[in-house]
Amino acid sequence: MDKNIPYKIYLGEEELPRQWYNVRADMKIKPAPLLNPATKQPVTLEEMSKIFCTELARQELDNENAYIDIPAEILDFYKMYRPAPLVRAYFLEKALDTPAKIYYKFEGNNTSGSHKLNSAIAQAYYAKKQGLKGVTTETGAGQWGTALSMACSYFGLDCKVYMVKVSYEQKPFRREVMRTYGADVTPSPSDTTKVGREILKKFPGTTGSLGCAISEAVEKAVTSEGYRYVLGSVLSQVLLHQSVIGLEAMAACDKFDIKPDIIIGCAGGGSNLGGLISPFMGRKLRGEADYRFIAVEPASCPSLTRGRYAYDFCDTGMVCPLSKMYTLGSSFIPSANHAGGLRYHGMSSVLSELYDEGLIEARSVEQTSVFEAATQFARIEGTLPAPESSHAIRAAIDEALKCKETGEEKTILFGLTGTGYFDMTAYQKFNDGNMSDYIPTDDELEKSLSQLPDIN
Ligand SMILES: *Cc1c(COP(=O)(O)O)cnc(C)c1O
């Protein structure tokens, strides 16, 4: 071990970022505006405020302010589990016999087990401040619902979660954590909403999808007095809150004179990757430094690498604003054998624009190779990673192995977004040798892509 760099770099509480960083302020080409699905015109603050908390809608539309103060109440909550450590993966480096230096930012140090709490607490705070009774949301694998349940119980808000049915059945413990924090959890599609009943009628026996659960949660919010809808990823406000990851990582790097060459994150809706890279991207956009950024997505849900950059619905029920993003089409549902998370059909409009401009690279990886990397990491570095995070581990290991071939001493930083304790059915599948890879054919993708709304 390098005696100048500890295994775990912990910043002090006083070094917690006091402001979030909004990368949109430094982007020359701004992400395309969200459109009202009825009028196809850019959504106004007033329209957005019917679905979202007003302050969050304001953040969603803010392309100008680079720094936004983190309210003191949120900072206090952050202190329960932040700053999160930046870890030098010395053991992994040694096992791979690579000259590369590998660091990871670990976001699994809280009960929800992932980075999602960073935005959940912010969204719950603004809902409370607005005097709302509660919020509705969807959850896929369950991490977002868990994080939001924790945040809502902290501020005394009601929390209604629509959980994708397949996860509801496969992850009973996630469900119980949410209920323990006081949330009301419904498997989606359900008969508690109009859109849910329609989807059930059209696709009997469906195991659900994120897009469908979003539609249900939005409907519930707009038809219940004193409720708004909150979303755990994809939206620009979520990337803003998640910038706390990147700001801390950058402060830790600067403190120890660590200069990452490659920054890697897994990409579902893009919030952890966006949060991790935002401040570094800011430096790149301002010409102060250069980095390679790599988004890693599942081969079975490849929105960046095989999707189209177009306006699309964020949800199956087509009630949310339209977003211009890399998308597989809102009716896309990953194959049933997919166990690694990151199942959303689209990508953050911020990351989509940065990717379209060539400022970010993207690659897709197959799930067996992801679980190989996860297992290798767990055995060497000790932490059992979430399957989602393991997409980033896969790419980090691959980049480190490339350095071994070329002899380059690159510095690699990746986001370890969470722990895998609640994902043991997926690990079981892998351990039993029952996990297979599935890559959708072009024809299959064309089926959902051909249903993209005709706007541009
Ligand atoms: C939700 C989640 C992700 C993916 O979501 P993003 O918005 O793309 O960050 C990644 N890792 C973990 C552990 C998650 O819970």
Side-chain angles (χ1 to χ4, degrees):
M1 290 193 192
D2 177 344
K3 65 181 184 319
N4 296 316
I5 298 185
Y7 176 68
K8 270 190 182 152
I9 302 175
Y10 277 111
L11 295 175
E13 202 172 282
E14 68 293 347
E15 291 169 288
L16 258 176
R18 292 313 200 248
Q19 295 176 309
W20 291 303
Y21 169 66
N22 179 9
V23 70
R24 286 169 285 166
D26 281 309
M27 289 169 67
K28 283 175 201 77
I29 307 174
K30 308 295 180 193
L34 294 170
L35 302 183
N36 180 321
T39 62
K40 310 285 192 294
Q41 294 300 309
V43 284
T44 62
L45 180 64
E46 199 195 335
E47 288 166 342
M48 281 250 256
S49 303
K50 290 178 189 149
I51 302 178
F52 301 106
C53 305
T54 308
E55 191 54 37
L56 293 167
R58 201 167 281 133
Q59 291 179 358
E60 193 62 30
L61 297 173
D62 185 350
N63 286 342
E64 310 306 324
N65 292 301
Y67 289 95
I68 292 170
D69 286 343
I70 303 176
E73 292 87 341
I74 299 175
L75 262 181
D76 283 346
F77 187 89
Y78 278 169
K79 286 173 193 168
M80 286 196 227
Y81 68 101
R82 308 202 70 82
L86 179 70
V87 185
R88 172 79 180 266
Y90 282 114
F91 305 113
L92 183 62
E93 289 171 19
K94 192 164 170 223
L96 297 175
D97 189 24
T98 173
K101 299 181 177 71
I102 308 174
Y103 293 87
Y104 62 90
K105 180 74 174 159
F106 183 50
E107 290 291 326
N109 274 334
N110 68 77
T111 296
S112 79
S114 82
H115 66 286
K116 292 202 172 68
L117 194 55
N118 300 331
S119 183
I121 195 63
Q123 299 196 40
Y125 167 79
Y126 290 115
K128 183 69 184 178
K129 205 171 155 220
Q130 195 174 325
L132 299 177
K133 282 186 212 150
V135 292
T136 71
T137 199
E138 77 297 331
T139 196
Q143 288 99 321
W144 168 245
T146 311
L148 190 69
S149 308
M150 290 174 71
C152 284
S153 74
Y154 182 75
F155 284 122
L157 281 168
D158 183 41
C159 179
K160 296 192 192 307
V161 181
Y162 285 90
M163 186 170 187
V164 177
K165 192 181 276 169
V166 61
S167 307
Y168 184 89
E169 284 158 6
Q170 283 179 1
K171 299 190 165 187
F173 294 142
R174 274 272 174 217
R175 187 175 79 209
E176 291 316 314
V177 179
M178 287 184 255
R179 293 181 61 212
T180 303
Y181 281 93
D184 173 29
V185 189
T186 308
S188 168
S190 76
D191 59 8
T192 66
T193 62
K194 188 162 155 274
V195 63
R197 288 189 293 271
E198 275 164 15
I199 290 168
L200 281 174
K201 211 162 125 195
K202 212 162 144 195
F203 307 101
T206 174
T207 53
S209 70
L210 265 184
C212 166
I214 295 175
S215 303
E216 288 207 277
V218 173
E219 182 184 319
K220 194 75 190 172
V222 298
T223 56
S224 311
E225 172 77 29
Y227 282 77
R228 290 292 187 281
Y229 166 68
V230 295
L231 180 57
S233 181
V234 189
L235 294 175
S236 303
Q237 59 186 270
V238 184
L239 266 71
L240 173 72
H241 307 146
Q242 295 297 355
S243 69
V244 70
I245 305 172
L247 290 162
E248 278 181 18
M250 189 172 219
C253 284
D254 288 353
K255 194 166 173 175
F256 287 87
D257 203 25
I258 298 159
K259 296 195 166 59
D261 298 295
I262 308 174
I263 305 179
I264 300 170
C266 62
S271 75
N272 87 82
L273 176 69
L276 174 65
I277 70 174
S278 274
F280 295 97
M281 180 62 81
R283 281 187 177 166
K284 180 165 168 146
L285 291 169
R286 295 188 303 270
E288 298 162 10
D290 198 14
Y291 309 95
R292 267 180 75 199
F293 300 105
I294 307 176
V296 192
E297 58 185 15
S300 54
C301 191
S303 54
L304 284 172
T305 51
R306 293 177 68 201
R308 205 164 289 160
Y309 191 29
Y311 268 106
D312 193 12
F313 294 97
C314 293
D315 60 321
T316 319
M318 307 179 183
V319 292
C320 281
L322 289 151
S323 176
K324 188 176 177 189
M325 57 185 174
Y326 275 85
T327 179
L328 297 166
S330 64
S331 61
F332 179 81
I333 296 181
S335 127
N337 84 346
H338 175 65
L342 312 174
R343 305 170 61 94
Y344 190 61
H345 67 272
M347 185 56 60
S348 138
S349 62
V350 173
L351 291 186
S352 291
E353 179 54 38
L354 292 168
Y355 176 63
D356 199 56
E357 290 176 46
L359 292 160
I360 298 176
E361 301 165 34
R363 71 176 64 158
S364 70
V365 289
E366 292 173 35
Q367 65 177 353
T368 48
S369 79
V370 167
F371 278 83
E372 274 160 26
T375 305
Q376 191 178 6
F377 185 82
R379 291 179 186 177
I380 296 167
E381 285 285 324
T383 298
L384 180 79
E388 291 89 346
S389 323
S390 305
H391 289 71
I393 298 176
R394 173 75 274 158
I397 291 177
D398 291 345
E399 288 300 318
L401 290 174
K402 270 186 217 160
C403 288
K404 182 179 175 180
E405 273 172 34
T406 60
E408 287 173 292
E409 277 185 46
K410 291 204 173 129
T411 298
I412 299 167
L413 165 62
F414 74 89
L416 188 68
T417 51
T419 57
Y421 300 132
F422 289 114
D423 299 294
M424 297 324 290
T425 22
Y427 275 94
Q428 183 181 14
K429 229 167 148 183
F430 178 71
N431 292 334
D432 288 345
N434 292 334
M435 183 173 279
S436 56
D437 293 319
Y438 184 78
I439 303 179
T441 63
D442 288 343
D443 283 351
E444 278 170 86
L445 293 185
E446 195 47 47
K447 243 167 120 182
S448 52
L449 283 170
S450 66
Q451 293 172 38
L452 287 176
D454 190 14
I455 302 166
N456 285 306

